[in-house]
Amino acid sequence: MPDFATLRSRPEFWLAGVIVILCAALSLSTPSFLSLSNFVDLTESYAVQAIMATGLFVVLIAGGIDISFAATASVAQYVAALLATHYGLSPFLVIPAGLVVGTGLGFLNAALIHYARVNSIIITIATMNVYFALLMYATGGHSIYNLPEWWSERVTFLQFETSGGDLIRITLPIVVMVVSLLLCWVLLTLSRTGRQLYAMGGNAEAARRIGLNISKLQFFAYGFAGFMAALAGLVQANRVGEAVPNALYGTELSVLSAAVLGGASLLGGVGTIGGITLGILLLAIIQNGLNLLDISPYCFEIITGAIILASTTLTALSVQSRKRSRLVEEAPIPEQAHV
Amino acid sequence: MSENLPVTGNKTGHSASMTDLAAPFRRLFPARVSGQALAALALAIGFSLIVPGFFSLGSMRSMMFQLPQLGLLALAMAIPMMSGGLNLAIIAIANACGLAMVTVLGHLPLAGHGTGYVGFCIVIVLMVGAVLGTALGGVTGWLIVRTKVHPILVTLGIMSIVEGTSIWLTRGEVVSGLPALYGQIGNASLAQIPLAFLAFLAVAGVVHLLLQHTAFGISIRMIGSNALATRYSAVDVDRVTIRIYALSGFLCFCAACLMLARFNSASAAYAKSYLLVTVLAAVLGGVDPNGGFGRVTGLVLAMIMLQLIATGFNLLGFSDYLTLAIWGLVLIGVACAQSMVKKRR
């Protein structure tokens, strides 16, 4: 059990505190907030973004950045939808095909970043434009509405009625989100590859010199991001019952803010899956709370921006003040993993 | 670094030879920029041969009308990039300036007054916009300096706040109500050359002088190369950083002026898709995304290349999306070629 001082220095701790305070305030001001059905609803509405965030998170840990994931998700979703409707393939072919397309586009990013040695933000902005523009060109912007039933039908894993009479449905998006988060946690904390990704993100040159296969790790990170993006795309089509080529376009920066809110560093090597989960939860609760409080939805963006600035600033300032106190004390404190 | 800094002190070594006559020219157009100029020329000639109607006054004029807007936004993006940062708030700041100017102009009693009075009011409103853009940029820079958070995050937060405020105040609607005089000036031409294009060239020229011939400009690229070394060279890095983002904000205001003239209105959502394209344009123009390198001549030539591609393929009947894809592919190609050249050295 970590003591309070170490706990206090973790961004997850502060984030959890903010969420608890926010929840308390919201449940006092609106009676409908603190109910299981509301919580399930807000989780479902942010499930797709959460799945994409896990992929982006792995890339951030590896010391890169991926802006192209929303475009990747749209391409994979549309290709799968086309295979399902136009060619009438079975789900056992369509779903793997979509995931393979996403992973392939991720590999393409990795190849450009690793072999051409170009800054990852530049390459992924370029590929985002290429993927998305080619998709819009090829489809003419038309949506696919006639998805087969196995895809568009709402899949409910668990259904029950609360004592208040609300019907609670644990649907596919929530289950996929939870599985993705768990998978990502296992990958990053328990697997050898995960620890190597942290090492590479912390210091790529040091990782190379201790014999890690950097190219393999790069391909893994961006391939994983592509895979998760494709999964999010497929789930999104299930949620809305259609494949819209530009539905996910424009979510790049909000997913990035969720990841950063959760304490992932843009410099790599820092961040936990719990932090990401809390970051997404915070954004979801704010939006949900604003809706319930009947505050203009136009305010949402302002509040998101203010929270991003406030949380990154506070984290940075607390890190700085700790550095300063260390200098004064001249006592070597072991470096925190997330500094 | 040395290629990019103006040679100020050691001219004596060259001045003996006659070839030195070309030195100022070479300084303005180093090898990389000459390559870009050749590529732009090749594109222009190629399209003129393939596309009927490409080499005409009409298409040249339409290119000159379209280029300045993205050009100014790319400049606003490029200057923070030269210092190793990034400004994701440029579109939000430009739209905020545009909205502020339209709103103020709409509330002034202009009807029934003479041109002189209306012109005076427009100048006042332009000053309001300039102050707003510069101030928003300055606040961004101040936050970056004070918090030492990565500029991507700070500008992301500022973008959300500024854009959110614009949306909140306008309810996401388009605001119009500009006096006719504004549109007349904004869409006027001088000897067949659009005034907007001349304004872009003038702004780019001033920024070029600022970057190449002032201590401020050299400090920008020094910070991009090595901020700590710059600080040890007695440069006030914090103050320069604030000025970088203030300048970027001012350039957003310049872009807002042109957008107002072009759309005859302002909105919180205009040009949103340009945000990441400006990063591509800056990199294509030779700005190093890690900071330290970049010049305005390269950027202007890159803008001309992108515009030639856009207009050429548009005349060929290609869709806008295909043009965007081709822009992305061009950038990937250029970036790969650059890194290969670097590796061979």
Side-chain angles (χ1 to χ4, degrees):
Chain A
M1 196 66 199
D3 60 310
F4 185 69
T6 32
L7 207 61
R8 210 178 48 178
S9 64
R10 302 186 67 87
E12 292 89 344
F13 172 76
W14 294 102
L15 210 53
V18 170
I19 289 175
V20 167
I21 294 171
L22 206 62
C23 284
L26 281 172
S27 43
L28 284 179
S29 46
T30 61
S32 44
F33 177 77
L34 201 67
S35 67
L36 193 60
S37 68
N38 184 46
F39 187 74
V40 169
D41 279 351
L42 79 87
T43 311
E44 196 191 316
S45 64
Y46 265 78
V48 171
Q49 292 205 21
I51 299 167
M52 288 197 284
T54 54
L56 172 64
F57 177 63
V58 170
V59 173
L60 287 175
I61 289 296
I65 193 168
D66 188 352
I67 305 287
S68 71
F69 56 86
T72 304
S74 305
V75 172
Q77 180 193 64
Y78 206 89
V79 169
L82 213 58
L83 288 177
T85 54
H86 206 265
Y87 299 97
L89 296 183
S90 81
F92 300 105
L93 284 172
V94 168
I95 295 172
L99 297 177
V100 165
V101 167
T103 316
L105 293 180
F107 281 160
L108 193 57
N109 283 338
L112 286 168
I113 290 161
H114 186 74
Y115 293 114
R117 301 209 184 282
V118 189
N119 201 313
S120 56
I121 190 167
I122 301 302
I123 281 295
T124 53
I125 288 176
T127 53
M128 173 198 90
N129 279 306
V130 173
Y131 298 164
F132 178 71
L134 285 180
L135 177 70
M136 290 303 279
Y137 174 70
T139 63
H142 297 302
S143 309
I144 297 180
Y145 297 110
N146 55 340
L147 289 182
E149 243 171 50
W150 60 263
W151 194 349
S152 61
E153 212 174 42
R154 182 190 275 206
V155 186
T156 310
F157 284 83
L158 190 65
Q159 183 172 340
F160 56 90
E161 222 166 291
T162 57
S163 52
D166 289 332
L167 190 65
I168 307 285
R169 280 205 184 106
I170 304 295
T171 51
L172 184 72
I174 298 177
V175 172
V176 174
M177 179 190 82
V178 172
V179 171
S180 319
L181 288 171
L182 279 178
L183 176 73
C184 197
W185 180 79
V186 169
L187 170 80
L188 284 176
T189 47
L190 302 183
S191 82
R192 186 189 298 173
T193 312
R195 304 320 292 174
Q196 290 179 345
L197 284 171
Y198 271 101
M200 182 171 81
N203 188 335
E205 182 58 25
R208 194 182 65 79
R209 290 195 186 184
I210 59 170
L212 300 187
N213 187 343
I214 296 294
S215 79
K216 193 194 89 183
L217 288 173
Q218 293 267 29
F219 273 87
F220 181 84
Y222 289 94
F224 185 80
F227 177 87
M228 279 301 170
L231 190 61
L234 297 178
V235 170
Q236 154 85 4
N238 168 258
R239 208 169 88 80
V240 297
E242 57 196 38
V244 184
N246 55 357
L248 293 167
Y249 184 73
T251 52
E252 298 87 9
L253 294 181
S254 70
V255 173
L256 181 64
S257 3
V260 170
L261 267 181
S265 163
L266 288 183
L267 302 175
V270 174
T272 62
I273 201 75
I276 296 290
T277 316
L278 290 175
I280 293 164
L281 196 61
L282 179 62
L283 288 185
I285 288 176
I286 293 168
Q287 181 152 41
N288 182 265
L290 289 180
N291 285 342
L292 290 180
L293 287 173
D294 245 351
I295 295 177
S296 153
Y298 298 115
C299 286
F300 177 62
E301 218 181 322
I302 308 178
I303 294 174
T304 314
I307 286 179
I308 295 171
L309 278 186
S311 78
T312 48
T313 304
L314 283 179
T315 314
L317 290 181
S318 77
V319 168
Q320 278 167 32
S321 69
R322 249 182 305 139
K323 267 186 194 156
R324 212 168 293 143
S325 63
R326 195 184 315 169
L327 274 180
V328 173
E329 289 161 9
E330 282 191 49
I333 298 168
E335 191 79 12
Q336 297 292 333
H338 65 278
V339 167
Chain B
M1 193 81 200
S2 61
E3 177 211 71
N4 244 0
L5 289 174
V7 188
T8 42
N10 55 349
K11 273 181 185 163
T12 40
H14 297 277
S15 57
S17 70
M18 282 293 286
T19 50
D20 200 38
L21 283 174
F25 181 78
R26 230 182 300 123
R27 215 151 57 209
L28 203 59
F29 299 104
R32 193 197 139 78
V33 178
S34 322
Q36 282 175 320
L38 281 179
L41 200 65
L43 273 176
I45 294 173
F47 275 123
S48 305
L49 292 177
I50 301 167
V51 188
F54 185 81
F55 190 71
S56 67
L57 191 65
S59 72
M60 293 291 158
R61 268 173 58 85
S62 81
M63 278 190 258
M64 287 185 207
F65 264 119
Q66 287 165 19
L67 187 145
Q69 190 190 336
L70 184 58
L72 285 174
L73 290 171
L75 266 183
M77 181 63 96
I79 291 167
M81 276 175 78
M82 285 176 202
S83 75
L86 202 68
N87 190 355
L88 293 178
I90 51 170
I91 308 285
I93 294 179
N95 281 329
C97 290
L99 283 169
M101 291 193 284
V102 174
T103 313
V104 175
L105 267 179
H107 281 86
L108 290 175
L110 292 176
H113 287 284
T115 320
Y117 177 73
V118 175
F120 174 73
C121 287
I122 288 177
V123 171
I124 297 290
V125 167
L126 286 182
M127 282 157 89
V128 171
V131 169
L132 180 68
T134 315
L136 285 175
V139 168
T140 312
W142 180 80
L143 270 174
I144 291 170
V145 164
R146 284 306 300 271
T147 62
K148 299 195 168 39
V149 176
H150 199 292
I152 290 184
L153 297 183
V154 175
T155 56
L156 186 70
I158 295 282
M159 176 189 91
S160 290
I161 292 179
V162 172
E163 192 187 295
T165 312
S166 300
I167 293 176
W168 182 47
L169 292 175
T170 62
R171 306 282 133 183
E173 281 168 15
V174 171
V175 181
S176 51
L178 282 171
L181 181 66
Y182 191 94
Q184 283 164 14
I185 299 172
N187 296 312
S189 298
L190 198 73
Q192 297 293 337
I193 301 174
L195 217 51
F197 188 70
L198 293 175
F200 168 63
L201 287 185
V203 172
V206 171
V207 174
H208 172 80
L209 290 179
L210 208 58
L211 283 179
Q212 303 294 331
H213 297 284
T214 66
F216 169 63
I218 295 165
S219 310
I220 293 176
R221 278 166 290 140
M222 278 169 70
I223 291 174
S225 277
N226 190 335
L228 197 61
T230 312
R231 214 183 99 203
Y232 289 159
S233 321
V235 173
D236 189 341
V237 172
D238 289 358
R239 197 199 293 177
V240 173
T241 306
I242 294 176
R243 286 186 186 170
I244 288 169
Y245 287 88
L247 176 62
S248 178
F250 180 77
L251 289 169
C252 294
F253 151 74
C254 297
C257 295
L258 297 186
M259 277 154 74
L260 277 187
R262 183 135 172 243
F263 300 120
N264 200 28
S265 61
S267 145
Y270 281 158
K272 258 173 104 171
S273 57
Y274 273 174
L275 176 59
L276 296 175
V277 173
T278 57
V279 181
L280 296 194
V283 174
L284 201 60
V287 176
D288 188 331
N290 298 319
F293 296 91
R295 41 174 63 232
V296 174
T297 38
L299 190 69
V300 173
L301 284 170
M303 296 314 306
I304 293 175
M305 274 165 64
L306 291 178
Q307 190 59 52
L308 285 169
I309 293 173
T311 309
F313 282 115
N314 190 14
L315 286 175
L316 279 175
F318 288 16
S319 82
D320 286 354
Y321 284 118
L322 204 55
T323 307
L324 190 60
I326 291 168
W327 283 7
L329 289 173
V330 167
L331 177 85
I332 295 173
V334 169
C336 291
Q338 265 175 357
S339 76
M340 270 176 214
V341 170
K342 226 184 261 172
K343 236 186 260 173
R344 208 175 299 157
R345 278 187 205 151

